[in-house]
Amino acid sequence: MQVDLKTAAALDEKDELAHFRDEFYLKTNTIYLDGNSLGLPSKRAESALLSMLDAWKEFGIDGWTQGEKPWYYLAETLGEQSAFLVGAKPEEVVVTGSTTVNLHQLAASFFHPEKNRTKILADDLNFPSDIYALQSQLSLRGLDPAVHLVKVKSRDGHTLSEDEIIASMTDEIALIVLPTVLYRSGQLLNIEKLTKAASKRGILIGFDGCHSVGAVPHEFHKWGVDFAYWCNYKYLNGGPGAAAGLFVHEKHLGKTPGLSGWFGSNKESQFDMEHTFTPASTAGAYQIGTPHIFSSAPLSASLQLFKEATLSAIRKKSLNMTRVMMDLIDSELSGFAFRIINPAQDERRGGHVALLHPEAARICKALKQAGVIPDYRSPNIIRLAPVALYTSYEEIWRTIQVLKDIMREKRYEQYENKREVIA
């Protein structure tokens, strides 16, 4: 598609989600394209957080059982409200912990090495924190991660082949943990195909949904995914440090989790204070500690926005925005050594565009100086994430014009080509 400013304005005029932009706090003269790392705050999220603070003021300790949103049930309530995001039943989801804590819990619950099945299958491109957690789980069982953590290699350094992942599902594999969307390249894996292959071989499989939930619809229950986990501060705009999400398929509910904690108890018996753990019959059993009330509050408001917008409309716009951005890159930035490394096919692409460039770090600094907020990933990737609820097509067009000016005038050369403390 050939896109100019007039075309971008026309796309914005026809955009059925354009009015949601008014729901968010947007900085003047700034184009925010880092929502795949930290989403922007909504006005409703602010109100929800302040309301929770007011409940603390009004009720004190009675806030656990009184008020509009009693804290005692908040993790389960938000889980039920989040279920539509991943195609789950209400009882299969809970909002709790953090991404890595939840992976530790799920690996402790579902990794049962026995006989020749003693290995975990992951991939060479996975987010480091996931790998650290899996290495820890192996070490805790006296298994050498160098031997028992199998990582599927990438042929091009950016994407993975589902067929090669399936070929690695040998009779030595006890557990598989993969991303839904690769955090660098934005490749969307075929979750249904991988889950069916794992199930056929008697291997449990779970997914890290951090870079897809809120941008890509899923059907975890229907596909038979054993478990999944994700953060709520990227596309879901739950705020920095927001409580994370956790899914456990109903076929595994009712079991005692690997890491038991008081708030994983059956709600009716929790305050009996018995030393015998009675797990909840829902995904709530996988909670470890007390719910993070203020880190959960904004999510309740954000989920309202997603319900109103609908995931299908969000996905449709997201795909169109990344398509427009890729077309603009091809037409406007040829000759500047950029290479798009995310998949071009809609069914294989997540919510961001990934650009490869040897000067990526300093280009990102120049973009920030010009009022465009990108995301850098070492050693040479620029991630640009137009978010359906608050990014406009005109902003996408202007971003590429800014980037073209930076390259043409070599403005990036004034910066050092290395990342800041936080990329």
Side-chain angles (χ1 to χ4, degrees), residues 48-117:
L49 180 56
L50 293 175
S51 293
M52 203 66 82
L53 185 61
D54 286 340
W56 183 23
K57 292 178 187 176
E58 181 177 355
F59 299 111
I61 196 168
D62 287 333
W64 285 105
T65 54
Q66 296 181 23
E68 185 181 350
K69 295 175 181 173
W71 310 331
Y72 189 54
Y73 307 98
L74 185 62
E76 289 85 359
T77 299
L78 289 176
E80 292 172 6
Q81 294 171 354
S82 299
F84 78 99
L85 294 170
V86 296
K89 292 187 174 182
E91 65 271 20
E92 293 176 322
V93 181
V94 66
V95 169
T96 185
S98 66
T99 302
T100 308
V101 168
N102 288 346
L103 175 53
H104 272 293
Q105 168 67 292
L106 292 163
S109 302
F110 291 100
F111 178 50
H112 300 296
E114 55 184 11
K115 297 181 180 178
N116 65 317
R117 286 195 185 271

Side-chain angles (χ1 to χ4, degrees), residues 123 125-132 179 183 208 211 377:
D123 68 276
L125 302 177
N126 211 326
F127 196 78
S129 192
D130 286 9
I131 299 301
Y132 301 158
Y183 79 100
D208 176 342
H211 285 85
R377 283 296 175 261

